[in-house]
Amino acid sequence: MATDELAQKLQRRLLLEESSPEPAPGGEEAAAGWVSGPAGQEEEGRSSMLASADSELGAKLSRRQDINEGMAQPRQAKVFNPYTEFKEFSRRQIKDMEQMFRLYDSGKDGYIDLMELKLMMEKLGAPQTHLGLKNMIKEVDEDFDGKLSFREFLLIFHKAAAGELEEDSGLMTLAKLSEIDVSTEGVKGAKNFFEAKVQALSSASKFEAEIKAEQDERKREEEEKKHRRAAFRELKSAFSQ
């Protein structure tokens, strides 16, 4: 992929060089590039583009060579694990948040953009202005791409739990109206999750208990399916006699 990108840049540079006009007659000043007026400005722009392309291409080639020679490590994308990063939430809560995120990610690109957030707030019964929506995204937009990733979506609930959101803010409204059951996570048994601060939890034992509960739930569902299939076979056999 990197090789294709470099090849494209080299091809673009060659096209730029081929499109450059021949030095106009008119003495050494014209040949040296001392051309006044629009033609001179155009030539100067091409030179600037070529210099920029050379610099960028040189940096990429140098880094690729360093990687090949073992002098540098390839950049690796950081793997996001919501269960280890947001330990204040249970697996069930995170799954509920993920389900809500996917529901409003209508583009299925892993992000909630401005228009999708607009639709979400309207569905929750709390429509926001265009500026209000932009401010909501801005408050948790860590990579400044103007949209919400799943991690940034979880940050909304994290900040709400930590008391870091204004009570009348759009994000606090979203968190309150989300209908995600987070009431068991408060400090000293507080009934309202948003009145509590985030507290330290024994995440290891809790994590294992939740996994076991999910496994038991799946076993129970499988047993129910077996019973239903057996009952259906008996009924079918009775009708066939």
Side-chain angles (χ1 to χ4, degrees):
M1 185 174 178
T3 305
D4 294 340
E5 184 180 353
L6 292 175
Q8 291 175 2
K9 289 184 178 294
L10 285 169
Q11 185 177 9
R12 186 175 64 194
R13 180 186 169 190
L14 288 172
L15 289 173
L16 286 171
E17 289 178 344
E18 290 173 359
S19 64
S20 298
E22 294 295 329
E28 296 180 356
E29 288 186 351
W34 297 96
V35 183
S36 59
Q41 293 175 358
E42 184 178 352
E43 182 64 27
E44 184 179 352
R46 287 199 186 95
S47 300
S48 177
M49 289 175 63
L50 287 173
S52 177
D54 283 344
S55 177
E56 183 180 355
L57 188 60
K60 287 183 178 293
L61 288 171
S62 177
R63 175 164 176 77
R64 173 57 55 187
Q65 184 177 358
D66 289 343
I67 292 173
N68 292 339
E69 294 176 355
M71 298 173 63
Q73 294 294 327
R75 296 188 182 94
Q76 297 180 349
K78 183 181 178 182
V79 178
F80 166 56
N81 186 335
Y83 302 111
T84 57
E85 186 166 346
F86 294 91
K87 296 180 180 179
E88 67 268 29
F89 300 127
S90 67
R91 284 173 60 85
R92 173 61 60 187
Q93 290 164 349
I94 290 179
K95 286 181 180 294
D96 288 343
M97 295 174 197
E98 183 178 11
Q99 184 177 3
M100 181 180 182
F101 181 85
R102 289 182 176 179
L103 175 65
Y104 291 101
D105 176 21
S106 56
K108 306 302 177 188
D109 58 354
Y111 295 93
I112 291 179
D113 60 25
L114 189 73
M115 294 306 296
E116 291 166 341
L117 181 61
K118 178 178 182 292
L119 177 62
M120 178 191 293
M121 297 307 294
E122 289 174 352
K123 291 287 187 180
L124 291 175
Q128 304 288 311
T129 64
H130 183 78
L131 181 59
L133 293 167
K134 292 182 70 174
N135 288 335
M136 287 174 66
I137 293 176
K138 184 179 179 181
E139 192 160 355
V140 290
D141 187 14
E142 294 188 327
D143 54 7
F144 307 106
D145 60 356
K147 51 190 177 181
L148 299 177
S149 65
F150 180 50
R151 183 183 182 281
E152 291 165 343
F153 185 70
L154 290 178
L155 276 177
I156 298 172
F157 298 92
H158 172 81
K159 285 177 174 287
E164 297 176 3
L165 298 177
E166 295 293 334
E167 188 65 26
D168 59 349
S169 68
L171 291 185
M172 179 61 85
T173 302
L174 187 158
K176 284 184 175 181
L177 296 176
S178 65
E179 297 184 357
I180 294 173
D181 182 14
V182 288
S183 60
T184 60
E185 301 298 319
V187 177
K188 297 181 181 180
K191 293 182 180 180
N192 190 339
F193 173 76
F194 300 104
E195 294 174 355
K197 301 293 184 180
V198 176
Q199 64 179 15
L201 301 172
S202 54
S203 56
S205 59
K206 181 181 177 183
F207 190 78
E208 292 172 0
E210 289 173 347
I211 290 178
K212 187 177 185 305
E214 289 180 4
Q215 291 173 342
D216 292 341
E217 180 68 16
R218 283 197 293 270
K219 288 180 182 178
R220 186 184 64 78
E221 291 175 355
E222 287 297 325
E223 288 295 327
E224 289 180 355
K225 288 180 182 178
K226 288 180 182 178
H227 288 309
R228 286 197 296 269
R229 285 196 292 266
F232 178 76
R233 284 196 296 268
E234 290 177 4
L235 184 63
K236 184 177 179 182
S237 177
F239 274 104
S240 62
Q241 290 179 357

